[in-house]
Amino acid sequence: YQTMDSSAVKIAILAAKETGTCAFGDILNTDDLAIAGLLREAGLFYTLFCEAFGYYDCTYKDQGVQFETGTKGNLSGAGHALHTTGPDLLVSVKKESQKRHLPFSIHLAEHDQETGMLMGEKNEFFNLLDEKQMIPQGHQFPMMSPVAYADKLGLLDRQTLAVHCVHVSDAEIGILADTRSHVCLCPRSNDFIRVGRSPWEKLIDAGISLSLATDSLASNHDLNLFNELAYFLEHLKRELTLEDAIGLITRNPAKALGLDDRIGTLESGKASCYT
């Protein structure tokens, strides 16, 4: 872990702002909460997720996960993923998010090794975590797919932002739709790290609220949401109305981040981008 480079973060924030971004949703280490101040300085809205990680016998408090609501944004909780974070820890973060009526985020079904691990497969990723002694001795994986397991744990509802959802079946898409979960797609990032392509068309047809995101500069060329949207539309195998296309980077993410009372649509009483 390295100390946050505030200068680099400011440059990235301002670059995104110049391309029209007015709010950030970001996953943070709990030592990076100063990013909230940098976003406020830039006049941007935000929901920042403090991420719980690891198989530890602890609650969200032990991991330093913080919750806060403010005029410009929120701090809330996230779980890294089902194959890297213990179920009790994930549930404690989710329950606290629910209690405070704040969104909860989790990386879900991003790559096939995640699914393999949850089904008991001792694959390359399992061996990596096991070598680092990150998986407790005797830990029993659920023998379930990521979406089904998340649903069983009570992690999916209208306050949940499921990120990626690349490897999902028709049945799992049904679960996401039934629980009213939000899904955040990261098309260029998924292509960049070669984890596959989410079934975008089926997710749209299921009526799931979809948002587009860049993921991060670690797996993408830039933080320009219009570039993400252009890539998505170029590769989408169906038509979208202009309203629904723009909604992928405005209305839908604002709702998923719990900011739709302030931004996301052009309505009386809502903020303009940089107020």
Side-chain angles (χ1 to χ4, degrees), residues 46-50 66-69 74-78 93-94 96-98 100-106 157-161 182 253-259 262:
Y46 60 85
T47 292
L48 304 178
F49 297 97
C50 307
Q66 298 184 38
F67 297 86
E68 179 182 293
T69 56
N74 312 308
L75 299 180
S76 192
V93 176
K94 175 59 182 174
E96 190 63 23
S97 301
Q98 281 178 319
R100 295 171 181 266
H101 304 289
L102 287 169
F104 165 84
S105 176
I106 186 167
D157 59 28
R158 66 183 62 205
Q159 290 175 230
T160 295
L161 181 58
H182 299 271
K255 188 173 182 180
L257 295 174
L259 299 172
R262 285 157 274 184

Side-chain angles (χ1 to χ4, degrees), residues 26 59 70 90 185:
D26 203 2
T59 68
L90 288 170
L185 302 174

Side-chain angles (χ1 to χ4, degrees), residues 107-111 163-167 183-200 203 211-216 219-220 228 231-232:
H107 299 89
L108 190 64
E110 181 178 5
H111 52 82
V163 184
H164 296 297
C165 294
V166 174
H167 297 278
V183 171
C184 178
L185 302 174
C186 304
R188 290 188 298 162
S189 172
N190 296 156
D191 180 59
F192 187 87
I193 61 177
R194 299 181 180 180
V195 294
R197 178 196 186 278
S198 176
W200 308 334
L203 292 167
S211 302
L212 294 181
T214 57
D215 202 2
S216 80
S219 63
N220 211 328
E228 202 70 38
Y231 177 95
F232 180 79

Side-chain angles (χ1 to χ4, degrees), residues 82-257:
L82 292 163
H83 64 307
T84 57
T85 313
D88 292 342
L89 181 54
L90 288 170
V91 170
S92 78
V93 176
K94 175 59 182 174
K95 283 186 175 179
E96 190 63 23
S97 301
Q98 281 178 319
K99 186 171 78 173
R100 295 171 181 266
H101 304 289
L102 287 169
F104 165 84
S105 176
I106 186 167
H107 299 89
L108 190 64
E110 181 178 5
H111 52 82
D112 54 8
Q113 295 216 9
E114 172 186 350
T115 301
M117 279 185 62
L118 293 178
M119 295 296 292
E121 180 182 309
K122 295 188 176 180
N123 52 35
E124 185 179 354
F125 200 84
F126 172 90
N127 292 333
L128 174 64
L129 295 179
D130 192 46
E131 182 182 326
K132 301 294 183 181
Q133 298 184 328
M134 295 179 65
I135 301 176
Q137 289 290 324
H139 177 75
Q140 297 295 312
F141 286 99
M143 308 303 289
M144 300 174 73
S145 68
V147 174
Y149 187 39
D151 187 39
K152 180 182 178 182
L153 293 177
L155 303 181
L156 301 179
D157 59 28
R158 66 183 62 205
Q159 290 175 230
T160 295
L161 181 58
V163 184
H164 296 297
C165 294
V166 174
H167 297 278
V168 289
S169 66
D170 291 351
E172 290 171 304
I173 290 171
I175 293 172
L176 292 168
D178 290 344
T179 56
R180 306 288 294 277
S181 299
H182 299 271
V183 171
C184 178
L185 302 174
C186 304
R188 290 188 298 162
S189 172
N190 296 156
D191 180 59
F192 187 87
I193 61 177
R194 299 181 180 180
V195 294
R197 178 196 186 278
S198 176
W200 308 334
E201 296 80 8
K202 290 184 177 182
L203 292 167
I204 292 170
D205 291 341
I208 294 169
S209 177
L210 300 179
S211 302
L212 294 181
T214 57
D215 202 2
S216 80
L217 289 174
S219 63
N220 211 328
H221 305 287
D222 55 56
L223 301 180
N224 188 326
L225 287 172
F226 285 100
N227 287 343
E228 202 70 38
L229 179 58
Y231 177 95
F232 180 79
L233 294 176
E234 180 183 350
H235 295 85
L236 184 66
K237 297 175 182 176
R238 58 160 292 168
E239 295 295 320
L240 277 187
T241 66
L242 177 61
E243 179 182 352
D244 286 342
I246 294 297
L248 294 168
I249 58 173
T250 55
R251 176 190 62 216
N252 296 357
K255 188 173 182 180
L257 295 174

